Amino acid sequence: MEDVEKLKEFILDYKPNVIGLCCQGRALGYQKDLQEVVTALEQQHQIDPIAIELVDPSVARLYKESSRAKTEFPSYKPEQKMAVSIARRLRDPLVEFAQLCNFSYDITNLPWGFLKKFVSTERLRDYLYEEFIVRVNEVGVDLNFALEHYHYQTMVQFIGGLGPRKGDALLKLFKQNNENIGITNSAYHELQSWQ
């Protein structure tokens, strides 16, 4: 009961738009219980509706064991690292999946279905990286945001023509010079014309 009160207090303090629930074990039972708590809070305190989303934990499981998670959150328990990954996946799934595109090729360890065994790891990796380049270039990358947020930096490698080494070198260059990347209107239109 004490945990439920802490949860209510947290929801009232932070007023989230969505709550992510790792869909493993008794997730459906927890979802119903959580929905009752949220509905009661929405009615009692007249807060905006809060969605409760079940999230597949496969990305979070890989993230919690990664060197990236150990660097970002050295003092966190594995469950806390998974919670961070689930929250990030709800916020921006492309960024969270892109984190798994590293030199260990963690992205190929996701459960891609029963046909995965018929595709070599190298071929799967190449196809996935190609698709990441297409998707990242469709949505764009905010380099200033990448400089400020470690988890977002993996997106830079998918900017057309960069790749992981040039992307890292570009970020290091901007960090060394303490530069904020300002793009003029004409430069922006010139960059757009390359697509």
Side-chain angles (χ1 to χ4, degrees), residues 118-131:
F118 297 111
V119 180
S120 72
T121 302
E122 294 78 21
R123 194 169 194 171
L124 176 63
R125 181 198 64 221
D126 292 345
Y127 285 139
L128 289 169
Y129 277 48
E130 262 182 52
E131 194 59 32

Side-chain angles (χ1 to χ4, degrees), residues 93-105:
L94 184 60
V95 174
E96 197 57 22
F97 277 90
Q99 284 193 69
L100 298 177
C101 296
N102 50 34
F103 292 111
S104 302
Y105 307 119

Side-chain angles (χ1 to χ4, degrees), residues 24 32 45 59 87 101 109 117 133 137 167 180 183:
Q24 65 182 13
K32 290 175 186 172
H45 298 278
V59 173
C101 296
N109 294 327
K117 62 185 173 191
I133 291 168
N137 285 287
N180 194 0
I183 297 179

Side-chain angles (χ1 to χ4, degrees), residues 44-182:
Q44 291 170 358
H45 298 278
Q46 296 181 354
I47 59 176
D48 291 335
I50 301 169
I52 298 171
E53 298 288 335
L54 290 174
V55 182
D56 175 36
S58 55
V59 173
R61 280 193 198 116
L62 287 172
Y63 173 75
K64 78 174 179 180
E65 301 298 331
S66 71
S67 61
R68 190 170 195 84
K70 291 171 184 149
T71 301
E72 279 188 281
F73 306 105
S75 62
Y76 279 30
K77 296 176 184 170
E79 296 81 14
Q80 292 171 311
K81 292 175 186 175
M82 281 184 72
V84 167
S85 178
I86 287 170
R88 286 178 177 172
R89 183 170 175 185
L90 281 173
R91 184 171 188 200
D92 195 341
L94 184 60
V95 174
E96 197 57 22
F97 277 90
Q99 284 193 69
L100 298 177
C101 296
N102 50 34
F103 292 111
S104 302
Y105 307 119
D106 289 336
I107 192 79
T108 60
N109 294 327
L110 288 174
W112 292 105
F114 69 95
L115 294 175
K116 179 184 171 188
K117 62 185 173 191
F118 297 111
V119 180
S120 72
T121 302
E122 294 78 21
R123 194 169 194 171
L124 176 63
R125 181 198 64 221
D126 292 345
Y127 285 139
L128 289 169
Y129 277 48
E130 262 182 52
E131 194 59 32
F132 271 106
I133 291 168
V134 170
R135 298 296 157 227
V136 167
N137 285 287
E138 276 181 1
V139 299
V141 175
D142 183 344
L143 292 174
N144 290 322
F145 191 80
L147 288 169
E148 296 170 10
H149 297 88
Y150 183 70
H151 77 281
Y152 191 82
Q153 292 176 3
T154 55
M155 296 283 282
V156 175
Q157 70 178 313
F158 298 113
I159 295 173
L162 288 185
R165 288 176 185 84
K166 289 179 188 172
D168 283 346
L170 181 68
L171 287 170
K172 285 177 186 170
L173 177 70
F174 284 121
K175 283 180 189 175
Q176 284 173 352
N177 296 328
N178 281 334
E179 289 186 35
N180 194 0
I181 303 159

